[in-house]
Amino acid sequence: MQQKLKNGAELLILLCSRLEMEAVAMEADLNNSAVASDPKPLVTYRCKKCRRLVASEDHIVCHERGGGQKSFKWKKRSADTDVQVLECSSIFVEPMKWMEALEEGCVGDKLQCIGCKARLGSFNWAGMQCNCGAWINPAFQLHKSRLDECHY
């Protein structure tokens, strides 16, 4: 009788461990299928002139849209203040190793491509204003017109 109880207890432990393993496997499958069904596209930015990789989506510093023309000084506003800016003309990124001007210790300067020396944007440790009106501080601005946006 004790032999049966011992075998029954072992059987119960075995069943419980097997159920736990199946639950873990099912959870892993759900996580993998969620990732596979909705993959986040990887976006990279390259210099338009030499196609050297400049930044990726991971390096972008997001900002909330500003007040548009109302955010600028009156001398910098355009004549038509009702026009809404559809999209920011630049991206702001974190400081990166390829930015040689940072090593010189300047507060603000131009950012050049390390491959072809084309001007890609500028930086200012004190901050800059985006064309949407938002202030980004510190600012490492890359102009979209000088970059190729590649989706993978």
Side-chain angles (χ1 to χ4, degrees):
M1 177 92 168
Q2 284 188 353
Q3 186 70 4
K4 285 185 177 182
L5 288 177
K6 187 176 178 184
N7 289 339
E10 289 176 358
L11 183 62
L12 185 61
I13 291 171
L14 184 65
L15 280 172
C16 287
S17 65
R18 188 170 182 163
L19 286 173
E20 286 178 7
M21 289 173 42
E22 287 178 0
V24 169
M26 189 183 312
E27 185 177 331
D29 288 342
L30 287 174
N31 290 340
N32 290 340
S33 66
V35 171
S37 65
D38 189 23
K40 188 174 181 182
L42 179 64
V43 179
T44 57
Y45 295 91
R46 296 180 174 273
C47 172
K48 250 188 186 171
K49 191 172 181 183
C50 70
R51 305 282 298 148
R52 181 179 283 271
L53 182 64
V54 175
S56 69
E57 193 174 29
D58 300 334
H59 299 110
I60 293 178
V61 176
C62 296
H63 63 279
E64 292 183 21
R65 294 187 59 79
Q69 289 288 323
K70 293 180 263 175
S71 302
F72 293 100
K73 291 181 181 178
W74 67 272
K75 290 182 179 180
K76 292 188 175 184
R77 293 182 187 175
S78 65
D80 189 11
T81 57
D82 296 334
V83 176
Q84 288 289 343
V85 178
L86 299 175
E87 188 179 340
C88 297
S89 62
S90 303
I91 60 170
F92 291 87
V93 295
E94 301 168 347
M96 291 181 269
K97 289 182 181 179
W98 64 265
M99 298 176 178
E100 293 175 339
L102 297 177
E103 295 174 4
E104 297 171 6
C106 300
V107 174
D109 204 356
K110 298 172 184 170
L111 293 173
Q112 295 179 333
C113 174
I114 199 163
C116 64
K117 302 296 181 199
R119 183 171 173 225
L120 300 177
S122 56
F123 77 94
N124 194 323
W125 286 101
M128 278 184 208
Q129 197 169 17
C130 182
N131 70 318
C132 71
W135 273 95
I136 291 85
N137 190 11
F140 300 90
Q141 181 182 38
L142 299 174
H143 301 292
K144 287 183 180 178
S145 63
R146 303 210 173 115
L147 301 173
D148 281 331
E149 189 174 314
C150 305
H151 297 273
Y152 293 103

